[in-house]
Amino acid sequence: MEIKITLTMAGVDTDFFSISASSDGINFGPSLVTHVSRIELISGYTLRNVPNDTIKVRVKSNTSTCNNFIDIDITNIPSMASTNTVTPFI
């Protein structure tokens, strides 16, 4: 599955992010990608090879001064050209 994640805002103290997936909405596996830049996420980052049973993805800041994350429910978006836009203060 392929999804596009666009952050409409990310804190200035953020730099790189990791993205992981969950099939039950609670337990997240290892990161699907790491070192996704703030700029890439604000511009719209296409995440490929998302497991088909994924119901949530977690976008987590990897910055030492900010370790916030946001969980995004992807169950109600089309699987191919889908966009999920979030506004976290990460």
Side-chain angles (χ1 to χ4, degrees), residues 3-7 19-20 22 25 28 41 54-59 69-75 77 83-88 90:
I3 62 172
K4 184 175 182 180
I5 301 170
T6 304
L7 298 182
I19 303 173
S20 55
S22 173
F28 289 84
L41 283 167
T54 299
I55 63 171
K56 285 188 180 181
V57 293
R58 175 172 284 174
V59 179
F69 64 87
I70 186 163
D71 293 341
I72 304 167
D73 184 341
I74 63 166
T75 57
I77 58 175
T83 301
N84 196 353
T85 302
V86 294
T87 311
I90 295 179

Side-chain angles (χ1 to χ4, degrees):
M1 175 169 46
E2 181 176 286
I3 62 172
K4 184 175 182 180
I5 301 170
T6 304
L7 298 182
T8 55
M9 182 178 287
V12 295
D13 61 343
T14 60
D15 192 3
F16 291 102
F17 295 80
S18 60
I19 303 173
S20 55
S22 173
S23 61
D24 64 8
I26 299 168
N27 300 298
F28 289 84
S31 295
L32 300 172
V33 292
T34 58
H35 262 72
V36 179
S37 74
R38 176 180 179 269
I39 299 298
E40 287 176 296
L41 283 167
I42 289 173
S43 298
Y45 181 79
T46 300
L47 182 60
R48 293 177 174 82
N49 299 320
V50 178
N52 287 332
D53 62 349
T54 299
I55 63 171
K56 285 188 180 181
V57 293
R58 175 172 284 174
V59 179
K60 183 179 183 305
S61 172
N62 293 334
T63 307
S64 63
T65 58
C66 177
N67 60 3
N68 291 342
F69 64 87
I70 186 163
D71 293 341
I72 304 167
D73 184 341
I74 63 166
T75 57
N76 294 321
I77 58 175
S79 62
M80 289 310 287
S82 57
T83 301
N84 196 353
T85 302
V86 294
T87 311
F89 288 97
I90 295 179

